[in-house]
Amino acid sequence: SAGVLVGARLAQGLGAALTLPAALSILTTMFREGKDRNVALGAWGGIAGLASAAGVLLGGLLTEGPGWRWVMFVNPIACALLLPSVFRLVEGERGRRRLANFDAVGAVLVTAGMLLLVYALVRAPIIGWGTTRTAGELAGAAALLVAFVFNELRQRVPLAPLSIFRINGLGFS
């Protein structure tokens, strides 16, 4: 059904969104400096670029040939082929460190604020920009995001250090 298709693609997209930064993080921690780090990051970037281009081409060939349903089998097959190598190459975990100083309140505030803002902006053309509902959603999003800024000012280790806006080109100078 269409719902299952959308749900499956959503799950695949979420998985991809989580694996790309994780792969980069593994590379930057395994190769801390020097030529090996540059080679590893260059290979990662090159393969990511090639995969993006090849994915569109191969996805088109796959949907034109065997059919669109086969798109769902690409990621599991790739995982089955690559996971043994990944487990062999990546060192085991050295004990779980507790997440120190994580700003959970800030994460909840910024996530809720941005979600409400995007929701309000997407729904406003449908229900009307001048409606009480749209105004309330936009006001709620603004309140959450202002609360996030105040929270960040109080945190010893903030999610988004506001000092970055003092850098030329990023700030409001």
Side-chain angles (χ1 to χ4, degrees), residues 46-83:
I47 289 171
L50 286 173
S52 295
V56 174
L57 174 68
L58 296 175
L61 292 173
L62 195 60
T63 54
E64 287 296 317
W68 66 266
R69 288 174 177 85
W70 285 89
V71 172
M72 299 299 175
F73 296 111
V74 171
N75 289 347
I77 292 170
C79 288
L81 293 173
L82 293 175
L83 277 179

PDB file of all heavy atoms in Angstrom, residues 46-83:
ATOM      1  N   GLY A  46      34.891  11.396  -1.803  1.00  0.00           N
ATOM      2  CA  GLY A  46      34.810  10.927  -3.190  1.00  0.00           C
ATOM      3  C   GLY A  46      33.782   9.829  -3.370  1.00  0.00           C
ATOM      4  O   GLY A  46      32.992   9.848  -4.320  1.00  0.00           O
ATOM      5  N   ILE A  47      33.770   8.891  -2.458  1.00  0.00           N
ATOM      6  CA  ILE A  47      32.801   7.788  -2.550  1.00  0.00           C
ATOM      7  C   ILE A  47      31.382   8.316  -2.344  1.00  0.00           C
ATOM      8  O   ILE A  47      30.448   7.884  -3.023  1.00  0.00           O
ATOM      9  CB  ILE A  47      33.146   6.674  -1.537  1.00  0.00           C
ATOM     10  CG1 ILE A  47      34.411   5.957  -2.015  1.00  0.00           C
ATOM     11  CG2 ILE A  47      32.003   5.699  -1.378  1.00  0.00           C
ATOM     12  CD1 ILE A  47      34.985   4.979  -1.023  1.00  0.00           C
ATOM     13  N   ALA A  48      31.216   9.281  -1.432  1.00  0.00           N
ATOM     14  CA  ALA A  48      29.883   9.861  -1.218  1.00  0.00           C
ATOM     15  C   ALA A  48      29.398  10.557  -2.485  1.00  0.00           C
ATOM     16  O   ALA A  48      28.223  10.418  -2.867  1.00  0.00           O
ATOM     17  CB  ALA A  48      29.915  10.845  -0.043  1.00  0.00           C
ATOM     18  N   GLY A  49      30.270  11.280  -3.153  1.00  0.00           N
ATOM     19  CA  GLY A  49      29.883  11.944  -4.398  1.00  0.00           C
ATOM     20  C   GLY A  49      29.543  10.953  -5.497  1.00  0.00           C
ATOM     21  O   GLY A  49      28.538  11.100  -6.203  1.00  0.00           O
ATOM     22  N   LEU A  50      30.390   9.927  -5.651  1.00  0.00           N
ATOM     23  CA  LEU A  50      30.121   8.904  -6.661  1.00  0.00           C
ATOM     24  C   LEU A  50      28.829   8.148  -6.356  1.00  0.00           C
ATOM     25  O   LEU A  50      28.051   7.844  -7.262  1.00  0.00           O
ATOM     26  CB  LEU A  50      31.282   7.928  -6.744  1.00  0.00           C
ATOM     27  CG  LEU A  50      32.540   8.439  -7.438  1.00  0.00           C
ATOM     28  CD1 LEU A  50      33.686   7.424  -7.289  1.00  0.00           C
ATOM     29  CD2 LEU A  50      32.267   8.718  -8.902  1.00  0.00           C
ATOM     30  N   ALA A  51      28.614   7.846  -5.090  1.00  0.00           N
ATOM     31  CA  ALA A  51      27.405   7.108  -4.707  1.00  0.00           C
ATOM     32  C   ALA A  51      26.155   7.936  -4.988  1.00  0.00           C
ATOM     33  O   ALA A  51      25.132   7.394  -5.417  1.00  0.00           O
ATOM     34  CB  ALA A  51      27.473   6.719  -3.235  1.00  0.00           C
ATOM     35  N   SER A  52      26.234   9.240  -4.746  1.00  0.00           N
ATOM     36  CA  SER A  52      25.075  10.095  -5.027  1.00  0.00           C
ATOM     37  C   SER A  52      24.739  10.090  -6.510  1.00  0.00           C
ATOM     38  O   SER A  52      23.569   9.987  -6.894  1.00  0.00           O
ATOM     39  CB  SER A  52      25.356  11.528  -4.575  1.00  0.00           C
ATOM     40  OG  SER A  52      25.500  11.567  -3.182  1.00  0.00           O
ATOM     41  N   ALA A  53      25.760  10.212  -7.339  1.00  0.00           N
ATOM     42  CA  ALA A  53      25.522  10.220  -8.789  1.00  0.00           C
ATOM     43  C   ALA A  53      25.081   8.844  -9.288  1.00  0.00           C
ATOM     44  O   ALA A  53      24.134   8.724 -10.069  1.00  0.00           O
ATOM     45  CB  ALA A  53      26.780  10.665  -9.519  1.00  0.00           C
ATOM     46  N   ALA A  54      25.750   7.805  -8.826  1.00  0.00           N
ATOM     47  CA  ALA A  54      25.420   6.451  -9.278  1.00  0.00           C
ATOM     48  C   ALA A  54      24.051   6.018  -8.762  1.00  0.00           C
ATOM     49  O   ALA A  54      23.341   5.280  -9.446  1.00  0.00           O
ATOM     50  CB  ALA A  54      26.488   5.464  -8.817  1.00  0.00           C
ATOM     51  N   GLY A  55      23.669   6.483  -7.570  1.00  0.00           N
ATOM     52  CA  GLY A  55      22.385   6.104  -7.002  1.00  0.00           C
ATOM     53  C   GLY A  55      21.221   6.531  -7.861  1.00  0.00           C
ATOM     54  O   GLY A  55      20.254   5.781  -8.048  1.00  0.00           O
ATOM     55  N   VAL A  56      21.305   7.733  -8.411  1.00  0.00           N
ATOM     56  CA  VAL A  56      20.227   8.222  -9.268  1.00  0.00           C
ATOM     57  C   VAL A  56      20.153   7.379 -10.544  1.00  0.00           C
ATOM     58  O   VAL A  56      19.078   6.944 -10.962  1.00  0.00           O
ATOM     59  CB  VAL A  56      20.450   9.717  -9.602  1.00  0.00           C
ATOM     60  CG1 VAL A  56      19.432  10.199 -10.613  1.00  0.00           C
ATOM     61  CG2 VAL A  56      20.392  10.553  -8.337  1.00  0.00           C
ATOM     62  N   LEU A  57      21.315   7.142 -11.152  1.00  0.00           N
ATOM     63  CA  LEU A  57      21.351   6.357 -12.390  1.00  0.00           C
ATOM     64  C   LEU A  57      20.884   4.919 -12.148  1.00  0.00           C
ATOM     65  O   LEU A  57      20.009   4.409 -12.853  1.00  0.00           O
ATOM     66  CB  LEU A  57      22.769   6.360 -12.970  1.00  0.00           C
ATOM     67  CG  LEU A  57      22.974   5.462 -14.190  1.00  0.00           C
ATOM     68  CD1 LEU A  57      22.209   6.005 -15.384  1.00  0.00           C
ATOM     69  CD2 LEU A  57      24.449   5.328 -14.502  1.00  0.00           C
ATOM     70  N   LEU A  58      21.463   4.270 -11.143  1.00  0.00           N
ATOM     71  CA  LEU A  58      21.104   2.876 -10.876  1.00  0.00           C
ATOM     72  C   LEU A  58      19.669   2.741 -10.383  1.00  0.00           C
ATOM     73  O   LEU A  58      18.995   1.755 -10.697  1.00  0.00           O
ATOM     74  CB  LEU A  58      22.080   2.270  -9.867  1.00  0.00           C
ATOM     75  CG  LEU A  58      23.535   2.171 -10.357  1.00  0.00           C
ATOM     76  CD1 LEU A  58      24.442   1.673  -9.253  1.00  0.00           C
ATOM     77  CD2 LEU A  58      23.626   1.290 -11.583  1.00  0.00           C
ATOM     78  N   GLY A  59      19.190   3.739  -9.632  1.00  0.00           N
ATOM     79  CA  GLY A  59      17.789   3.724  -9.202  1.00  0.00           C
ATOM     80  C   GLY A  59      16.849   3.786 -10.387  1.00  0.00           C
ATOM     81  O   GLY A  59      15.834   3.085 -10.432  1.00  0.00           O
ATOM     82  N   GLY A  60      17.188   4.606 -11.377  1.00  0.00           N
ATOM     83  CA  GLY A  60      16.372   4.680 -12.591  1.00  0.00           C
ATOM     84  C   GLY A  60      16.384   3.379 -13.356  1.00  0.00           C
ATOM     85  O   GLY A  60      15.348   2.908 -13.834  1.00  0.00           O
ATOM     86  N   LEU A  61      17.585   2.784 -13.487  1.00  0.00           N
ATOM     87  CA  LEU A  61      17.677   1.499 -14.180  1.00  0.00           C
ATOM     88  C   LEU A  61      16.890   0.412 -13.451  1.00  0.00           C
ATOM     89  O   LEU A  61      16.236  -0.423 -14.075  1.00  0.00           O
ATOM     90  CB  LEU A  61      19.142   1.080 -14.327  1.00  0.00           C
ATOM     91  CG  LEU A  61      20.001   1.929 -15.267  1.00  0.00           C
ATOM     92  CD1 LEU A  61      21.471   1.511 -15.174  1.00  0.00           C
ATOM     93  CD2 LEU A  61      19.502   1.821 -16.688  1.00  0.00           C
ATOM     94  N   LEU A  62      16.969   0.439 -12.138  1.00  0.00           N
ATOM     95  CA  LEU A  62      16.269  -0.567 -11.339  1.00  0.00           C
ATOM     96  C   LEU A  62      14.755  -0.430 -11.468  1.00  0.00           C
ATOM     97  O   LEU A  62      14.048  -1.426 -11.624  1.00  0.00           O
ATOM     98  CB  LEU A  62      16.695  -0.436  -9.871  1.00  0.00           C
ATOM     99  CG  LEU A  62      16.378  -1.570  -8.943  1.00  0.00           C
ATOM    100  CD1 LEU A  62      17.044  -2.856  -9.418  1.00  0.00           C
ATOM    101  CD2 LEU A  62      16.867  -1.245  -7.544  1.00  0.00           C
ATOM    102  N   THR A  63      14.267   0.799 -11.421  1.00  0.00           N
ATOM    103  CA  THR A  63      12.818   0.971 -11.521  1.00  0.00           C
ATOM    104  C   THR A  63      12.309   0.706 -12.937  1.00  0.00           C
ATOM    105  O   THR A  63      11.198   0.214 -13.104  1.00  0.00           O
ATOM    106  CB  THR A  63      12.392   2.391 -11.099  1.00  0.00           C
ATOM    107  OG1 THR A  63      13.117   3.351 -11.855  1.00  0.00           O
ATOM    108  CG2 THR A  63      12.632   2.606  -9.627  1.00  0.00           C
ATOM    109  N   GLU A  64      13.108   0.991 -13.941  1.00  0.00           N
ATOM    110  CA  GLU A  64      12.702   0.718 -15.325  1.00  0.00           C
ATOM    111  C   GLU A  64      12.802  -0.760 -15.659  1.00  0.00           C
ATOM    112  O   GLU A  64      12.070  -1.260 -16.499  1.00  0.00           O
ATOM    113  CB  GLU A  64      13.559   1.520 -16.305  1.00  0.00           C
ATOM    114  CG  GLU A  64      13.230   2.995 -16.333  1.00  0.00           C
ATOM    115  CD  GLU A  64      11.821   3.274 -16.819  1.00  0.00           C
ATOM    116  OE1 GLU A  64      11.378   2.641 -17.802  1.00  0.00           O
ATOM    117  OE2 GLU A  64      11.161   4.129 -16.197  1.00  0.00           O
ATOM    118  N   GLY A  65      13.745  -1.455 -14.995  1.00  0.00           N
ATOM    119  CA  GLY A  65      13.927  -2.886 -15.267  1.00  0.00           C
ATOM    120  C   GLY A  65      13.019  -3.742 -14.410  1.00  0.00           C
ATOM    121  O   GLY A  65      11.841  -3.927 -14.723  1.00  0.00           O
ATOM    122  N   PRO A  66      13.545  -4.268 -13.311  1.00  0.00           N
ATOM    123  CA  PRO A  66      12.751  -5.173 -12.475  1.00  0.00           C
ATOM    124  C   PRO A  66      11.525  -4.524 -11.837  1.00  0.00           C
ATOM    125  O   PRO A  66      10.564  -5.196 -11.537  1.00  0.00           O
ATOM    126  CB  PRO A  66      13.729  -5.629 -11.387  1.00  0.00           C
ATOM    127  CG  PRO A  66      15.076  -5.286 -11.881  1.00  0.00           C
ATOM    128  CD  PRO A  66      14.933  -4.181 -12.859  1.00  0.00           C
ATOM    129  N   GLY A  67      11.566  -3.218 -11.588  1.00  0.00           N
ATOM    130  CA  GLY A  67      10.405  -2.554 -10.995  1.00  0.00           C
ATOM    131  C   GLY A  67      10.778  -1.776  -9.755  1.00  0.00           C
ATOM    132  O   GLY A  67      11.813  -2.022  -9.130  1.00  0.00           O
ATOM    133  N   TRP A  68       9.926  -0.826  -9.366  1.00  0.00           N
ATOM    134  CA  TRP A  68      10.229   0.056  -8.242  1.00  0.00           C
ATOM    135  C   TRP A  68      10.336  -0.678  -6.912  1.00  0.00           C
ATOM    136  O   TRP A  68      11.010  -0.229  -6.006  1.00  0.00           O
ATOM    137  CB  TRP A  68       9.191   1.175  -8.148  1.00  0.00           C
ATOM    138  CG  TRP A  68       7.807   0.706  -7.807  1.00  0.00           C
ATOM    139  CD1 TRP A  68       6.820   0.404  -8.670  1.00  0.00           C
ATOM    140  CD2 TRP A  68       7.280   0.490  -6.496  1.00  0.00           C
ATOM    141  NE1 TRP A  68       5.691   0.005  -8.004  1.00  0.00           N
ATOM    142  CE2 TRP A  68       5.946   0.054  -6.650  1.00  0.00           C
ATOM    143  CE3 TRP A  68       7.780   0.613  -5.208  1.00  0.00           C
ATOM    144  CZ2 TRP A  68       5.135  -0.254  -5.579  1.00  0.00           C
ATOM    145  CZ3 TRP A  68       6.970   0.309  -4.132  1.00  0.00           C
ATOM    146  CH2 TRP A  68       5.657  -0.114  -4.316  1.00  0.00           C
ATOM    147  N   ARG A  69       9.683  -1.810  -6.780  1.00  0.00           N
ATOM    148  CA  ARG A  69       9.720  -2.548  -5.510  1.00  0.00           C
ATOM    149  C   ARG A  69      11.135  -3.012  -5.159  1.00  0.00           C
ATOM    150  O   ARG A  69      11.476  -3.174  -3.994  1.00  0.00           O
ATOM    151  CB  ARG A  69       8.764  -3.733  -5.568  1.00  0.00           C
ATOM    152  CG  ARG A  69       7.311  -3.324  -5.523  1.00  0.00           C
ATOM    153  CD  ARG A  69       6.385  -4.518  -5.733  1.00  0.00           C
ATOM    154  NE  ARG A  69       5.003  -4.159  -5.624  1.00  0.00           N
ATOM    155  CZ  ARG A  69       4.273  -3.666  -6.618  1.00  0.00           C
ATOM    156  NH1 ARG A  69       4.817  -3.477  -7.802  1.00  0.00           N
ATOM    157  NH2 ARG A  69       3.014  -3.362  -6.438  1.00  0.00           N
ATOM    158  N   TRP A  70      11.958  -3.215  -6.174  1.00  0.00           N
ATOM    159  CA  TRP A  70      13.316  -3.677  -5.940  1.00  0.00           C
ATOM    160  C   TRP A  70      14.191  -2.618  -5.277  1.00  0.00           C
ATOM    161  O   TRP A  70      15.241  -2.940  -4.732  1.00  0.00           O
ATOM    162  CB  TRP A  70      13.936  -4.149  -7.252  1.00  0.00           C
ATOM    163  CG  TRP A  70      13.393  -5.474  -7.647  1.00  0.00           C
ATOM    164  CD1 TRP A  70      12.278  -5.714  -8.403  1.00  0.00           C
ATOM    165  CD2 TRP A  70      13.895  -6.737  -7.261  1.00  0.00           C
ATOM    166  NE1 TRP A  70      12.053  -7.063  -8.527  1.00  0.00           N
ATOM    167  CE2 TRP A  70      13.044  -7.713  -7.822  1.00  0.00           C
ATOM    168  CE3 TRP A  70      14.976  -7.149  -6.497  1.00  0.00           C
ATOM    169  CZ2 TRP A  70      13.256  -9.077  -7.642  1.00  0.00           C
ATOM    170  CZ3 TRP A  70      15.183  -8.495  -6.322  1.00  0.00           C
ATOM    171  CH2 TRP A  70      14.325  -9.445  -6.883  1.00  0.00           C
ATOM    172  N   VAL A  71      13.769  -1.369  -5.298  1.00  0.00           N
ATOM    173  CA  VAL A  71      14.517  -0.309  -4.637  1.00  0.00           C
ATOM    174  C   VAL A  71      14.631  -0.597  -3.131  1.00  0.00           C
ATOM    175  O   VAL A  71      15.618  -0.258  -2.491  1.00  0.00           O
ATOM    176  CB  VAL A  71      13.849   1.058  -4.898  1.00  0.00           C
ATOM    177  CG1 VAL A  71      14.477   2.157  -4.082  1.00  0.00           C
ATOM    178  CG2 VAL A  71      13.921   1.391  -6.377  1.00  0.00           C
ATOM    179  N   MET A  72      13.619  -1.255  -2.586  1.00  0.00           N
ATOM    180  CA  MET A  72      13.621  -1.565  -1.156  1.00  0.00           C
ATOM    181  C   MET A  72      14.690  -2.590  -0.768  1.00  0.00           C
ATOM    182  O   MET A  72      15.041  -2.697   0.400  1.00  0.00           O
ATOM    183  CB  MET A  72      12.248  -2.098  -0.723  1.00  0.00           C
ATOM    184  CG  MET A  72      11.130  -1.142  -0.924  1.00  0.00           C
ATOM    185  SD  MET A  72      11.410   0.335   0.058  1.00  0.00           S
ATOM    186  CE  MET A  72      10.057   1.311  -0.471  1.00  0.00           C
ATOM    187  N   PHE A  73      15.201  -3.325  -1.719  1.00  0.00           N
ATOM    188  CA  PHE A  73      16.179  -4.371  -1.405  1.00  0.00           C
ATOM    189  C   PHE A  73      17.624  -3.899  -1.529  1.00  0.00           C
ATOM    190  O   PHE A  73      18.532  -4.622  -1.142  1.00  0.00           O
ATOM    191  CB  PHE A  73      15.964  -5.586  -2.318  1.00  0.00           C
ATOM    192  CG  PHE A  73      14.644  -6.247  -2.104  1.00  0.00           C
ATOM    193  CD1 PHE A  73      13.657  -6.185  -3.076  1.00  0.00           C
ATOM    194  CD2 PHE A  73      14.368  -6.916  -0.922  1.00  0.00           C
ATOM    195  CE1 PHE A  73      12.434  -6.784  -2.879  1.00  0.00           C
ATOM    196  CE2 PHE A  73      13.141  -7.514  -0.712  1.00  0.00           C
ATOM    197  CZ  PHE A  73      12.171  -7.452  -1.695  1.00  0.00           C
ATOM    198  N   VAL A  74      17.854  -2.701  -2.041  1.00  0.00           N
ATOM    199  CA  VAL A  74      19.218  -2.229  -2.259  1.00  0.00           C
ATOM    200  C   VAL A  74      19.955  -2.056  -0.934  1.00  0.00           C
ATOM    201  O   VAL A  74      21.071  -2.559  -0.759  1.00  0.00           O
ATOM    202  CB  VAL A  74      19.217  -0.915  -3.076  1.00  0.00           C
ATOM    203  CG1 VAL A  74      20.596  -0.301  -3.118  1.00  0.00           C
ATOM    204  CG2 VAL A  74      18.701  -1.175  -4.474  1.00  0.00           C
ATOM    205  N   ASN A  75      19.379  -1.341   0.011  1.00  0.00           N
ATOM    206  CA  ASN A  75      20.065  -1.080   1.274  1.00  0.00           C
ATOM    207  C   ASN A  75      20.323  -2.347   2.091  1.00  0.00           C
ATOM    208  O   ASN A  75      21.427  -2.517   2.605  1.00  0.00           O
ATOM    209  CB  ASN A  75      19.298  -0.051   2.094  1.00  0.00           C
ATOM    210  CG  ASN A  75      19.390   1.328   1.485  1.00  0.00           C
ATOM    211  OD1 ASN A  75      20.201   1.582   0.611  1.00  0.00           O
ATOM    212  ND2 ASN A  75      18.540   2.231   1.932  1.00  0.00           N
ATOM    213  N   PRO A  76      19.355  -3.240   2.259  1.00  0.00           N
ATOM    214  CA  PRO A  76      19.668  -4.456   3.024  1.00  0.00           C
ATOM    215  C   PRO A  76      20.775  -5.306   2.384  1.00  0.00           C
ATOM    216  O   PRO A  76      21.613  -5.860   3.083  1.00  0.00           O
ATOM    217  CB  PRO A  76      18.336  -5.221   3.049  1.00  0.00           C
ATOM    218  CG  PRO A  76      17.291  -4.186   2.853  1.00  0.00           C
ATOM    219  CD  PRO A  76      17.914  -3.151   1.971  1.00  0.00           C
ATOM    220  N   ILE A  77      20.788  -5.384   1.060  1.00  0.00           N
ATOM    221  CA  ILE A  77      21.840  -6.155   0.390  1.00  0.00           C
ATOM    222  C   ILE A  77      23.191  -5.484   0.603  1.00  0.00           C
ATOM    223  O   ILE A  77      24.188  -6.145   0.914  1.00  0.00           O
ATOM    224  CB  ILE A  77      21.515  -6.321  -1.108  1.00  0.00           C
ATOM    225  CG1 ILE A  77      20.303  -7.232  -1.274  1.00  0.00           C
ATOM    226  CG2 ILE A  77      22.716  -6.860  -1.877  1.00  0.00           C
ATOM    227  CD1 ILE A  77      19.745  -7.274  -2.687  1.00  0.00           C
ATOM    228  N   ALA A  78      23.246  -4.149   0.469  1.00  0.00           N
ATOM    229  CA  ALA A  78      24.501  -3.422   0.697  1.00  0.00           C
ATOM    230  C   ALA A  78      24.979  -3.612   2.131  1.00  0.00           C
ATOM    231  O   ALA A  78      26.183  -3.823   2.375  1.00  0.00           O
ATOM    232  CB  ALA A  78      24.317  -1.946   0.377  1.00  0.00           C
ATOM    233  N   CYS A  79      24.062  -3.564   3.083  1.00  0.00           N
ATOM    234  CA  CYS A  79      24.439  -3.779   4.491  1.00  0.00           C
ATOM    235  C   CYS A  79      24.982  -5.179   4.711  1.00  0.00           C
ATOM    236  O   CYS A  79      25.991  -5.353   5.402  1.00  0.00           O
ATOM    237  CB  CYS A  79      23.246  -3.526   5.403  1.00  0.00           C
ATOM    238  SG  CYS A  79      22.814  -1.789   5.548  1.00  0.00           S
ATOM    239  N   ALA A  80      24.323  -6.165   4.145  1.00  0.00           N
ATOM    240  CA  ALA A  80      24.778  -7.547   4.311  1.00  0.00           C
ATOM    241  C   ALA A  80      26.171  -7.740   3.728  1.00  0.00           C
ATOM    242  O   ALA A  80      26.983  -8.502   4.270  1.00  0.00           O
ATOM    243  CB  ALA A  80      23.791  -8.512   3.652  1.00  0.00           C
ATOM    244  N   LEU A  81      26.480  -7.051   2.650  1.00  0.00           N
ATOM    245  CA  LEU A  81      27.797  -7.184   2.037  1.00  0.00           C
ATOM    246  C   LEU A  81      28.884  -6.408   2.783  1.00  0.00           C
ATOM    247  O   LEU A  81      30.029  -6.852   2.851  1.00  0.00           O
ATOM    248  CB  LEU A  81      27.744  -6.709   0.575  1.00  0.00           C
ATOM    249  CG  LEU A  81      26.923  -7.563  -0.380  1.00  0.00           C
ATOM    250  CD1 LEU A  81      26.825  -6.885  -1.747  1.00  0.00           C
ATOM    251  CD2 LEU A  81      27.519  -8.960  -0.508  1.00  0.00           C
ATOM    252  N   LEU A  82      28.528  -5.257   3.359  1.00  0.00           N
ATOM    253  CA  LEU A  82      29.534  -4.384   3.957  1.00  0.00           C
ATOM    254  C   LEU A  82      29.730  -4.563   5.460  1.00  0.00           C
ATOM    255  O   LEU A  82      30.812  -4.286   5.967  1.00  0.00           O
ATOM    256  CB  LEU A  82      29.190  -2.926   3.673  1.00  0.00           C
ATOM    257  CG  LEU A  82      29.291  -2.515   2.210  1.00  0.00           C
ATOM    258  CD1 LEU A  82      28.813  -1.088   2.029  1.00  0.00           C
ATOM    259  CD2 LEU A  82      30.705  -2.673   1.701  1.00  0.00           C
ATOM    260  N   LEU A  83      28.713  -5.002   6.180  1.00  0.00           N
ATOM    261  CA  LEU A  83      28.834  -5.094   7.637  1.00  0.00           C
ATOM    262  C   LEU A  83      29.973  -6.001   8.114  1.00  0.00           C
ATOM    263  O   LEU A  83      30.664  -5.645   9.061  1.00  0.00           O
ATOM    264  CB  LEU A  83      27.508  -5.507   8.257  1.00  0.00           C
ATOM    265  CG  LEU A  83      26.527  -4.374   8.481  1.00  0.00           C
ATOM    266  CD1 LEU A  83      25.229  -4.890   9.074  1.00  0.00           C
ATOM    267  CD2 LEU A  83      27.101  -3.277   9.340  1.00  0.00           C
TER     268      LEU A  83
END
